[in-house]
Coordinates of all heavy atoms in Angstrom, one line a residue:
V362 N -7.5 3.8 3.2 CA -7.8 2.5 2.4 C -9.0 2.7 1.5 O -10.1 3.0 2.0 CB -8.0 1.4 3.4 CG1 -8.3 0.1 2.6 CG2 -6.8 1.2 4.3
K363 N -8.8 2.6 0.2 CA -9.9 2.8 -0.7 C -10.6 1.4 -1.1 O -11.8 1.4 -1.2 CB -9.4 3.5 -2.0 CG -10.4 3.8 -3.0 CD -9.8 4.5 -4.2 CE -10.9 4.8 -5.3 NZ -10.3 5.5 -6.4
A364 N -9.8 0.4 -1.2 CA -10.3 -0.9 -1.6 C -9.4 -2.0 -1.1 O -8.2 -1.9 -1.1 CB -10.5 -1.0 -3.1
L365 N -10.0 -3.2 -0.8 CA -9.3 -4.4 -0.4 C -9.6 -5.4 -1.5 O -10.8 -5.7 -1.7 CB -9.8 -4.9 1.0 CG -9.5 -4.0 2.2 CD1 -10.1 -4.6 3.4 CD2 -8.1 -3.7 2.4
Y366 N -8.6 -5.9 -2.1 CA -8.7 -6.9 -3.2 C -8.7 -8.3 -2.6 O -9.2 -9.2 -3.3 CB -7.6 -6.7 -4.2 CG -7.6 -5.3 -4.8 CD1 -6.5 -4.6 -4.8 CD2 -8.8 -4.7 -5.3 CE1 -6.5 -3.3 -5.4 CE2 -8.8 -3.5 -5.9 CZ -7.6 -2.7 -5.9 OH -7.6 -1.5 -6.4
L367 N -8.2 -8.5 -1.4 CA -8.1 -9.9 -0.8 C -8.4 -9.7 0.7 O -8.2 -8.7 1.3 CB -6.7 -10.5 -1.0 CG -6.3 -10.8 -2.4 CD1 -4.8 -11.2 -2.4 CD2 -7.2 -11.9 -3.0
E368 N -8.9 -10.8 1.3 CA -9.3 -10.8 2.7 C -8.1 -11.4 3.5 O -8.1 -11.1 4.7 CB -10.5 -11.7 2.9 CG -11.8 -11.1 2.3 CD -12.1 -9.7 2.9 OE1 -11.9 -9.5 4.1 OE2 -12.7 -8.9 2.1
G369 N -7.3 -12.2 3.0 CA -6.2 -12.8 3.7 C -6.4 -14.3 3.9 O -7.5 -14.8 3.6
G370 N -5.3 -15.0 4.2 CA -5.3 -16.4 4.3 C -5.4 -17.1 2.9 O -5.8 -18.2 2.8
E371 N -5.0 -16.3 1.9 CA -5.0 -16.8 0.5 C -3.6 -16.8 -0.1 O -2.8 -16.1 0.3 CB -6.0 -15.9 -0.3 CG -7.4 -15.8 0.2 CD -8.2 -14.8 -0.6 OE1 -8.2 -14.9 -1.8 OE2 -8.8 -13.9 0.1
Q372 N -3.4 -17.7 -1.1 CA -2.2 -17.7 -1.9 C -2.2 -16.5 -2.8 O -3.1 -16.2 -3.5 CB -2.1 -19.0 -2.7 CG -1.8 -20.2 -1.9 CD -0.4 -20.3 -1.4 OE1 0.5 -19.6 -1.9 NE2 -0.1 -21.1 -0.4
V373 N -1.0 -15.8 -2.8 CA -0.8 -14.7 -3.7 C 0.4 -14.9 -4.6 O 1.3 -15.7 -4.2 CB -0.7 -13.3 -2.9 CG1 -2.0 -13.0 -2.2 CG2 0.5 -13.4 -2.0
T374 N 0.5 -14.2 -5.7 CA 1.6 -14.3 -6.6 C 2.3 -12.9 -6.7 O 1.7 -11.9 -6.3 CB 1.1 -14.7 -8.0 OG1 0.2 -13.8 -8.5 CG2 0.5 -16.1 -8.0
T375 N 3.5 -13.0 -7.1 CA 4.3 -11.7 -7.2 C 3.6 -10.7 -8.1 O 3.2 -11.0 -9.2 CB 5.7 -12.1 -7.7 OG1 6.4 -13.0 -6.9 CG2 6.6 -10.8 -7.8
G376 N 3.5 -9.5 -7.6 CA 2.9 -8.4 -8.3 C 1.4 -8.3 -8.2 O 0.8 -7.4 -8.7
Q377 N 0.8 -9.3 -7.5 CA -0.7 -9.2 -7.4 C -1.1 -8.1 -6.4 O -0.5 -7.9 -5.4 CB -1.2 -10.6 -6.8 CG -2.7 -10.7 -6.7 CD -3.2 -12.0 -6.3 OE1 -2.4 -13.0 -6.2 NE2 -4.5 -12.2 -6.1
A378 N -2.1 -7.3 -6.8 CA -2.6 -6.2 -6.0 C -3.4 -6.7 -4.8 O -4.2 -7.6 -4.9 CB -3.6 -5.3 -6.8
L379 N -3.0 -6.1 -3.6 CA -3.6 -6.5 -2.4 C -4.7 -5.5 -1.9 O -5.7 -5.9 -1.4 CB -2.5 -6.7 -1.3 CG -1.4 -7.6 -1.7 CD1 -0.4 -7.7 -0.5 CD2 -1.9 -9.0 -2.0
L380 N -4.3 -4.3 -2.0 CA -5.3 -3.2 -1.6 C -4.8 -1.9 -2.2 O -3.7 -1.8 -2.7 CB -5.3 -3.0 -0.1 CG -4.1 -2.4 0.6 CD1 -4.5 -1.8 1.9 CD2 -3.0 -3.4 0.9
K381 N -5.7 -0.9 -2.2 CA -5.4 0.4 -2.8 C -5.7 1.5 -1.7 O -6.7 1.4 -1.0 CB -6.3 0.6 -4.0 CG -5.9 1.9 -4.7 CD -6.7 2.1 -6.0 CE -6.3 3.4 -6.8 NZ -4.9 3.5 -7.1
L382 N -4.7 2.4 -1.7 CA -4.9 3.6 -0.8 C -5.1 4.8 -1.7 O -4.8 4.9 -2.9 CB -3.6 3.8 0.0 CG -3.1 2.6 0.8 CD1 -1.7 3.0 1.5 CD2 -4.1 2.3 1.9
T383 N -5.7 5.8 -1.1 CA -5.9 7.1 -1.7 C -5.4 8.2 -0.8 O -5.5 8.2 0.4 CB -7.4 7.3 -2.1 OG1 -7.5 8.6 -2.7 CG2 -8.2 7.3 -0.8
N384 N -4.7 9.2 -1.5 CA -4.1 10.3 -0.8 C -4.3 11.6 -1.6 O -3.4 11.9 -2.5 CB -2.7 10.1 -0.4 CG -2.1 11.1 0.5 OD1 -2.5 12.3 0.5 ND2 -1.1 10.7 1.3
P385 N -5.4 12.3 -1.5 CA -5.6 13.5 -2.3 C -4.5 14.5 -2.3 O -4.1 15.2 -3.3 CB -6.9 14.1 -1.8 CG -7.6 12.9 -1.1 CD -6.5 12.1 -0.6
G386 N -3.9 14.7 -1.1 CA -2.8 15.7 -0.9 C -1.6 15.3 -1.8 O -1.0 16.1 -2.4
L387 N -1.3 14.0 -1.8 CA -0.2 13.5 -2.5 C -0.4 13.7 -4.0 O 0.4 14.1 -4.8 CB 0.1 12.1 -2.2 CG 1.3 11.4 -2.9 CD1 2.6 12.1 -2.5 CD2 1.4 9.9 -2.6
E388 N -1.7 13.4 -4.4 CA -2.0 13.5 -5.9 C -1.9 15.0 -6.3 O -1.5 15.2 -7.4 CB -3.4 12.9 -6.1 CG -3.5 11.4 -5.8 CD -4.9 10.9 -5.8 OE1 -5.8 11.7 -6.0 OE2 -5.1 9.7 -5.6
L389 N -2.4 15.9 -5.5 CA -2.4 17.3 -5.8 C -0.9 17.8 -5.9 O -0.5 18.5 -6.8 CB -3.2 18.1 -4.8 CG -3.2 19.6 -5.0 CD1 -3.8 20.0 -6.4 CD2 -3.9 20.3 -3.9
N390 N -0.1 17.4 -4.9 CA 1.3 17.7 -5.0 C 2.0 17.2 -6.2 O 2.8 17.8 -6.8 CB 2.0 17.2 -3.7 CG 1.6 17.9 -2.5 OD1 1.1 19.1 -2.5 ND2 1.8 17.3 -1.3
Y391 N 1.6 16.0 -6.6 CA 2.2 15.4 -7.8 C 1.8 16.2 -9.0 O 2.7 16.5 -9.8 CB 1.6 14.0 -8.0 CG 2.0 13.4 -9.3 CD1 3.3 12.9 -9.6 CD2 1.0 13.2 -10.3 CE1 3.6 12.4 -10.8 CE2 1.3 12.7 -11.5 CZ 2.6 12.3 -11.8 OH 2.9 11.7 -13.0
M392 N 0.6 16.6 -9.1 CA 0.2 17.4 -10.3 C 0.9 18.8 -10.3 O 1.4 19.2 -11.4 CB -1.3 17.6 -10.3 CG -2.1 16.4 -10.7 SD -3.9 16.6 -10.9 CE -4.3 17.0 -9.2

């Protein structure tokens, strides 16, 4: 978990970012 954009208990809309993950291995494999 790299960042949390919301804490919870809130109204959200379709497509709204909730949190972001990071995976260096996946990114290297992608490149």
Side-chain angles (χ1 to χ4, degrees):
V362 179
K363 182 178 181 180
L365 297 177
Y366 302 127
L367 295 172
E368 294 297 328
E371 305 173 49
Q372 287 286 341
V373 296
T374 57
T375 302
Q377 184 175 354
L379 307 180
L380 72 154
K381 184 174 181 60
L382 303 176
T383 180
N384 189 329
L387 181 63
E388 295 169 0
L389 180 61
N390 289 337
Y391 170 72
M392 289 187 291

